[in-house]
Protein backbone atom coordinates (compact mmCIF):
# COMPACT_ATOMS: atom_id res chain seq x y z
CA UNK A 1 0.00 0.00 0.00
CA UNK A 2 2.88 2.37 0.71
CA UNK A 3 3.88 4.96 -0.27
CA UNK A 4 0.72 6.96 0.30
CA UNK A 5 0.34 9.41 -2.58
CA UNK A 6 -3.39 10.18 -2.58
CA UNK A 7 -6.26 10.81 -0.23
CA UNK A 8 -9.75 10.56 -1.69
CA UNK A 9 -12.84 12.02 -0.01
CA UNK A 10 -16.16 10.21 -0.45
CA UNK A 11 -19.73 10.52 0.75
CA UNK A 12 -21.88 7.57 1.79
CA UNK A 13 -24.76 8.74 -0.45
CA UNK A 14 -27.14 8.63 2.50
CA UNK A 15 -29.95 11.15 3.04
CA UNK A 16 -29.18 14.35 4.92
CA UNK A 17 -29.54 13.88 8.67
CA UNK A 18 -29.87 10.08 8.59
CA UNK A 19 -27.59 8.86 11.36
CA UNK A 20 -25.97 5.93 9.56
CA UNK A 21 -23.10 4.50 11.58
CA UNK A 22 -19.68 3.53 10.26
CA UNK A 23 -20.35 -0.13 11.10
CA UNK A 24 -23.35 -0.11 8.76
CA UNK A 25 -21.33 1.39 5.90
CA UNK A 26 -18.57 -1.17 6.51
CA UNK A 27 -21.18 -3.96 6.38
CA UNK A 28 -22.56 -2.64 3.07
CA UNK A 29 -19.05 -2.59 1.62
CA UNK A 30 -18.20 -6.07 2.87
CA UNK A 31 -21.36 -7.35 1.17
CA UNK A 32 -20.56 -5.53 -2.09
CA UNK A 33 -16.74 -5.66 -2.27
CA UNK A 34 -15.83 -8.40 0.19
CA UNK A 35 -13.98 -5.96 2.43
CA UNK A 36 -14.13 -2.67 4.29
CA UNK A 37 -13.68 0.11 1.70
CA UNK A 38 -12.54 3.13 3.70
CA UNK A 39 -9.68 3.96 6.00
CA UNK A 40 -12.02 6.18 7.98
CA UNK A 41 -15.65 7.25 8.17
CA UNK A 42 -16.85 10.55 9.64
CA UNK A 43 -20.21 10.19 11.35
CA UNK A 44 -22.76 13.01 11.73
CA UNK A 45 -21.50 13.99 15.19
CA UNK A 46 -17.94 14.31 13.87
CA UNK A 47 -16.74 10.99 15.25
CA UNK A 48 -13.95 9.52 13.15
CA UNK A 49 -14.15 5.73 12.95
CA UNK A 50 -11.12 3.89 11.59
CA UNK A 51 -11.98 1.13 9.14
CA UNK A 52 -8.63 0.16 7.63
CA UNK A 53 -5.06 0.73 8.75
CA UNK A 54 -3.10 3.07 6.51
CA UNK A 55 -1.03 0.16 5.17
CA UNK A 56 -4.15 -1.71 4.03
CA UNK A 57 -5.56 -1.30 0.54
CA UNK A 58 -9.11 0.01 0.41
CA UNK A 59 -11.87 -0.52 -2.16
CA UNK A 60 -13.03 3.01 -2.87
CA UNK A 61 -11.68 4.13 -6.30
CA UNK A 62 -11.82 1.39 -8.93
CA UNK A 63 -8.31 0.43 -9.98
CA UNK A 64 -6.71 3.34 -8.05
CA UNK A 65 -6.60 2.11 -4.44
CA UNK A 66 -2.89 1.44 -4.04
CA UNK A 67 -1.31 4.30 -2.10
CA UNK A 68 -4.73 5.91 -1.74
CA UNK A 69 -6.37 6.68 1.62
CA UNK A 70 -10.18 6.67 1.48
CA UNK A 71 -12.16 8.91 3.83
CA UNK A 72 -15.98 8.87 3.74
CA UNK A 73 -18.51 11.12 5.42
CA UNK A 74 -22.05 10.06 6.27
CA UNK A 75 -24.49 11.95 4.03
CA UNK A 76 -24.21 13.41 0.56
CA UNK A 77 -27.86 13.25 -0.52
CA UNK A 78 -30.77 15.65 -0.07
CA UNK A 79 -33.37 14.08 2.23
CA UNK A 80 -36.35 15.16 0.08
CA UNK A 81 -35.52 14.11 -3.48
CA UNK A 82 -32.25 12.27 -2.83
CA UNK A 83 -30.20 14.46 -5.16
CA UNK A 84 -26.49 15.00 -4.48
CA UNK A 85 -25.89 17.65 -1.82
CA UNK A 86 -23.08 18.67 0.50
CA UNK A 87 -24.74 17.66 3.76
CA UNK A 88 -21.68 17.77 6.03
CA UNK A 89 -22.47 18.94 9.52
CA UNK A 90 -20.18 21.49 11.17
CA UNK A 91 -18.77 18.66 13.29
CA UNK A 92 -18.04 16.61 10.16
CA UNK A 93 -16.35 19.59 8.50
CA UNK A 94 -14.09 20.14 11.52
CA UNK A 95 -13.15 16.48 11.75
CA UNK A 96 -12.54 16.21 8.01
CA UNK A 97 -10.24 19.23 8.03
CA UNK A 98 -8.29 17.86 11.01
CA UNK A 99 -7.93 14.39 9.48
CA UNK A 100 -6.86 15.70 6.08
CA UNK A 101 -4.39 18.18 7.60
CA UNK A 102 -2.86 15.33 9.63
CA UNK A 103 -2.42 13.17 6.53
CA UNK A 104 -0.95 16.10 4.60
CA UNK A 105 1.58 16.68 7.40
CA UNK A 106 2.53 13.00 7.50
CA UNK A 107 2.77 12.63 3.71
CA UNK A 108 4.29 15.73 2.07
CA UNK A 109 3.06 16.17 -1.50
CA UNK A 110 -0.14 14.22 -0.78
CA UNK A 111 -2.72 14.74 -3.54
CA UNK A 112 -6.22 15.24 -2.11
CA UNK A 113 -9.19 14.64 -4.41
CA UNK A 114 -12.87 13.95 -4.32
CA UNK A 115 -14.05 10.65 -5.76
CA UNK A 116 -15.53 12.56 -8.71
CA UNK A 117 -12.12 14.09 -9.49
CA UNK A 118 -10.65 10.77 -10.61
CA UNK A 119 -10.59 10.25 -14.39
CA UNK A 120 -13.50 8.16 -15.63
CA UNK A 121 -15.63 8.60 -12.48
CA UNK A 122 -19.15 9.75 -13.36
CA UNK A 123 -20.46 10.43 -9.85
CA UNK A 124 -21.20 13.54 -7.81
CA UNK A 125 -19.40 12.03 -4.81
CA UNK A 126 -18.49 13.62 -2.43
CA UNK A 127 -20.91 16.41 -3.40
CA UNK A 128 -18.52 19.31 -2.76
CA UNK A 129 -15.44 20.64 -4.51
CA UNK A 130 -12.58 18.94 -2.66
CA UNK A 131 -9.57 20.30 -4.54
CA UNK A 132 -9.97 24.01 -3.61
CA UNK A 133 -11.21 23.02 -0.13
CA UNK A 134 -8.04 20.98 0.49
CA UNK A 135 -5.83 23.74 -0.92
CA UNK A 136 -7.29 26.12 1.69
CA UNK A 137 -6.27 23.93 4.64
Amino acid sequence: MLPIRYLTIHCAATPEGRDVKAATIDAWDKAKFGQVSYHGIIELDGSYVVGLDDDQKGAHVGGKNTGNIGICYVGGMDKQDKKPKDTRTEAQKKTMARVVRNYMAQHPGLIVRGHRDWPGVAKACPCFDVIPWAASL
Side-chain angles (χ1 to χ4, degrees), residues 13-35:
T14 55
E16 182 174 15
R18 183 177 294 168
D19 193 15
V20 177
K21 297 299 183 189
T24 300
I25 294 168
D26 287 344
W28 292 340
D29 291 342
K30 285 179 187 175
K32 187 171 183 178
F33 303 113
Q35 72 166 81

Side-chain angles (χ1 to χ4, degrees), residues 60-78:
H60 55 98
V61 179
K64 303 291 183 189
N65 291 302
T66 300
N68 190 353
I69 298 294
I71 305 296
C72 179
Y73 76 92
V74 173
M77 302 296 284
D78 177 85

